[in-house]
Amino acid sequence: MFTRTAATLGQLNRNAETGKRPSYSQPLFDCIELQGAAMPFERNAEIFGESEPADYVYKVLTGAVRTYRVLNDGRRQISDFYVPGDVFGLELGEEHSCSAEAIAASTVLVVRRSAVVALAERDGRIAGRLWNLTARQLQRAQNHTLLLIKSAQQRVASFLLEMAERYSSGSAVELPMTRQDIADYLGLTIETVSRMLTQLEGAATIELPASRRIVLCNRSALTRLNS
Amino acid sequence: MFTRTAATLGQLNRNAETGKRPSYSQPLFDCIELQGAAMPFERNAEIFGESEPADYVYKVLTGAVRTYRVLNDGRRQISDFYVPGDVFGLELGEEHSCSAEAIAASTVLVVRRSAVVALAERDGRIAGRLWNLTARQLQRAQNHTLLLIKSAQQRVASFLLEMAERYSSGSAVELPMTRQDIADYLGLTIETVSRMLTQLEGAATIELPASRRIVLCNRSALTRLNS
DNA sequence: CGACCATTTGATATGGATCAAGCGATGTGG
DNA sequence: CCACATCGCTTGATCCATATCAAATGGTCG
């Protein structure tokens, strides 16, 4: 399947580490001599599909990734967004419970799951890191369910604060995803997301110099909304 | 804190095993000589609170438990329900990320987290089970977020199927929780839950011989709705 | 310039929330 | 044993937040 230039994870981590923001995930593979392959994906390319065998574990090097599930009627629920340094696609079972796609042109480090698992069996600390990784995902999933019972305005405010935290380059946020992605993450429609943003702009809480660029002028107002 | 009759987990597991339904969780503590205490809780009693130190891990022996979080405005989101055999309250961090209460009069096995963690550090298989437990919770949390984007009817249908699966005593389900609990789990109001149930009853998909007892007459219809 | 796509804005519809009342079971004190 | 309070649940009427439908705007690329 992946017959590309192999690289040690140490090397690739260094690449990832040059990214601007602090990684949200554990430095899972640091200081390990696992063999991995850096794979390029173009915008909207599928990285893996739901219920495909989960033979690999992935780490974003550049770009951004979304994981999602779809209902029979076509509605899509985005589970999470991943940015450089984040690990995704780690499953305990034999198959993926969601699909993954590149949001923008991205490079992703791909490692055989069996190699990671074998390593964990020999080294308890690695096993602990895997557990930690899953626990963080759980934490995020639980926050996500809390988000979905809030009002539209609150969801958008929460989203902006979350993005700002992950992409903390001052008060400006450069979003890698479309309004449709945001809507599918928040359980809203693009129209509602757009309206809430204009509303926040009207209240001078944010500025929208470009549709993908958002400046948070009044974080405390967002936090207050956040509920 | 817990100065009650201690018992080995083996003994207590046997008690739990006499329960009617298959356990939803890993038999985490089986075949381990951990010391634990069986504690009784009356209906609506708090077992632990959000952001309290997570010094213990819990397992339902009898009764039922709910975990939840509340927003500032008072709305409550129930994360999950736990029945005999289920483990809850296991955290990776130092404090609980949600609160837990007894839904009905219940007995809960309480074990020091440090004991479990110490054991996991010595035995890789135990560590694997802890990871497995967290992974299952993650799986459930992700299903929960999918649920929250469905229509009210679909949410109720999904809920009934889920309960039937966990309480598989034929086609009848004896619910331990109130309509308010169900509503807070599904992100709906009690009125809407009630209406959806009467609607399903009208369509001869379910029967409601008592408010807490539900008979599934037409599972395939529920599955079809489920979306 | 023109085609295409993402986004915004406007008008209207609707599913579920809210407000309000009634009902049935359970328990308690007289 | 019955009157009555309480609590959980259902049902009805109305309202409102968000979805839906539709069109206009703006940015990007050939």
Side-chain angles (χ1 to χ4, degrees):
Chain A
M1 182 185 177
F2 301 127
T3 52
R4 303 188 158 268
T5 52
T8 72
L9 273 155
Q11 285 164 11
L12 288 159
N13 269 321
R14 235 172 292 134
N15 290 345
E17 250 40 77
T18 60
K20 11 181 176 167
R21 62 193 83 62
S23 167
Y24 216 74
S25 80
Q26 284 283 92
L28 173 66
F29 305 146
D30 286 356
C31 68
I32 302 170
E33 303 99 31
L34 275 175
Q35 287 283 109
M39 284 196 67
F41 289 93
E42 48 188 33
R43 193 168 118 87
N44 295 329
E46 181 176 83
I47 299 172
F48 56 78
E50 195 175 333
S51 73
E52 278 180 14
D55 294 334
Y56 300 89
V57 181
Y58 306 81
K59 179 171 176 170
V60 181
L61 298 177
T62 67
V65 170
R66 60 175 170 253
T67 53
Y68 65 93
R69 294 173 68 184
V70 285
L71 297 175
N72 320 15
D73 65 8
R75 269 173 303 168
R76 180 181 68 157
Q77 172 64 39
I78 291 188
S79 317
D80 217 340
F81 298 113
Y82 300 90
V83 294
D86 293 344
V87 173
F88 65 99
L90 175 63
E91 301 279 346
L92 199 115
E94 290 307 310
E95 46 183 53
H96 286 294
S97 60
C98 60
S99 307
E101 288 174 356
I103 288 174
S106 308
T107 55
V108 174
L109 178 64
V110 183
V111 182
R112 294 199 79 89
R113 187 177 69 138
S114 56
V116 178
V117 169
L119 208 60
E121 275 167 9
R122 275 184 283 121
D123 185 344
R125 286 171 321 203
I126 303 298
R129 284 188 183 177
L130 290 180
W131 181 23
N132 199 307
L133 206 57
T134 305
R136 276 161 184 264
Q137 279 187 267
L138 173 59
Q139 189 74 46
R140 290 183 57 71
Q142 282 174 345
N143 287 337
H144 200 170
T145 66
L146 251 201
L147 197 155
L148 292 179
I149 66 162
K150 296 182 184 176
S151 72
Q153 200 183 40
Q154 292 176 325
R155 291 186 213 189
V156 172
S158 300
F159 174 77
L160 291 176
L161 286 170
E162 188 195 332
M163 285 299 118
E165 199 185 322
R166 297 181 78 172
Y167 292 75
S168 57
S169 50
S171 60
V173 182
E174 195 73 41
L175 297 175
M177 71 287 283
T178 66
R179 293 284 185 273
Q180 187 64 62
D181 287 330
I182 299 173
D184 289 352
Y185 180 71
L186 298 179
L188 300 170
T189 59
I190 37 172
E191 292 95 330
T192 301
V193 171
S194 182
R195 276 185 247 271
M196 294 303 129
L197 287 173
T198 8
Q199 198 173 303
L200 288 172
E201 191 184 24
T205 308
I206 62 170
E207 277 169 27
L208 289 162
S211 71
R212 300 287 184 92
R213 168 171 269 288
I214 300 184
V215 183
L216 309 191
C217 310
N218 191 344
R219 255 170 219 252
S220 54
L222 287 177
T223 311
R224 220 172 312 122
L225 279 178
N226 202 322
S227 177
Chain B
M1 182 187 180
F2 301 129
T3 51
R4 303 189 158 269
T5 51
T8 72
L9 275 155
Q11 284 163 12
L12 288 160
N13 269 322
R14 233 173 293 132
N15 291 343
E17 250 40 77
T18 60
K20 23 204 160 143
R21 62 193 85 60
S23 168
Y24 216 74
S25 80
Q26 284 283 95
L28 173 65
F29 305 145
D30 287 356
C31 68
I32 302 170
E33 302 99 29
L34 275 175
Q35 287 284 108
M39 283 195 67
F41 289 93
E42 48 187 34
R43 192 166 118 87
N44 294 329
E46 180 176 84
I47 300 172
F48 56 77
E50 195 174 333
S51 73
E52 278 180 14
D55 295 334
Y56 299 89
V57 181
Y58 306 81
K59 179 170 176 169
V60 182
L61 298 178
T62 67
V65 170
R66 61 175 170 252
T67 53
Y68 65 93
R69 293 172 68 183
V70 284
L71 296 176
N72 319 13
D73 64 8
R75 269 172 304 168
R76 179 180 68 158
Q77 172 63 40
I78 291 188
S79 318
D80 216 343
F81 298 114
Y82 299 90
V83 293
D86 292 344
V87 173
F88 66 99
L90 176 62
E91 300 279 346
L92 199 114
E94 289 308 310
E95 47 184 54
H96 286 294
S97 61
C98 60
S99 307
E101 288 174 356
I103 289 175
S106 307
T107 54
V108 174
L109 179 64
V110 183
V111 182
R112 294 199 79 88
R113 188 177 68 138
S114 56
V116 178
V117 170
L119 207 61
E121 274 167 10
R122 274 184 283 121
D123 186 344
R125 287 171 320 205
I126 303 298
R129 285 187 181 176
L130 290 181
W131 181 24
N132 199 306
L133 206 57
T134 304
R136 277 161 183 263
Q137 279 187 267
L138 172 59
Q139 189 73 45
R140 290 183 57 72
Q142 282 174 345
N143 286 337
H144 200 172
T145 66
L146 251 200
L147 196 155
L148 292 179
I149 67 163
K150 297 182 185 178
S151 72
Q153 200 184 40
Q154 291 176 325
R155 292 187 213 190
V156 172
S158 300
F159 174 77
L160 291 176
L161 287 169
E162 189 196 331
M163 286 299 118
E165 198 186 321
R166 298 182 77 172
Y167 292 73
S168 57
S169 50
S171 60
V173 181
E174 196 73 39
L175 298 175
M177 71 286 284
T178 66
R179 294 282 186 274
Q180 187 64 61
D181 287 330
I182 299 173
D184 289 351
Y185 180 71
L186 299 179
L188 300 170
T189 59
I190 37 172
E191 292 96 330
T192 301
V193 171
S194 183
R195 275 185 249 272
M196 294 303 127
L197 287 173
T198 13
Q199 196 173 304
L200 288 172
E201 192 184 25
T205 308
I206 63 170
E207 277 169 27
L208 289 162
S211 70
R212 301 288 185 91
R213 168 167 271 274
I214 299 184
V215 183
L216 309 192
C217 310
N218 190 345
R219 257 171 218 252
S220 54
L222 287 177
T223 311
R224 221 172 311 122
L225 279 178
N226 202 322
S227 175

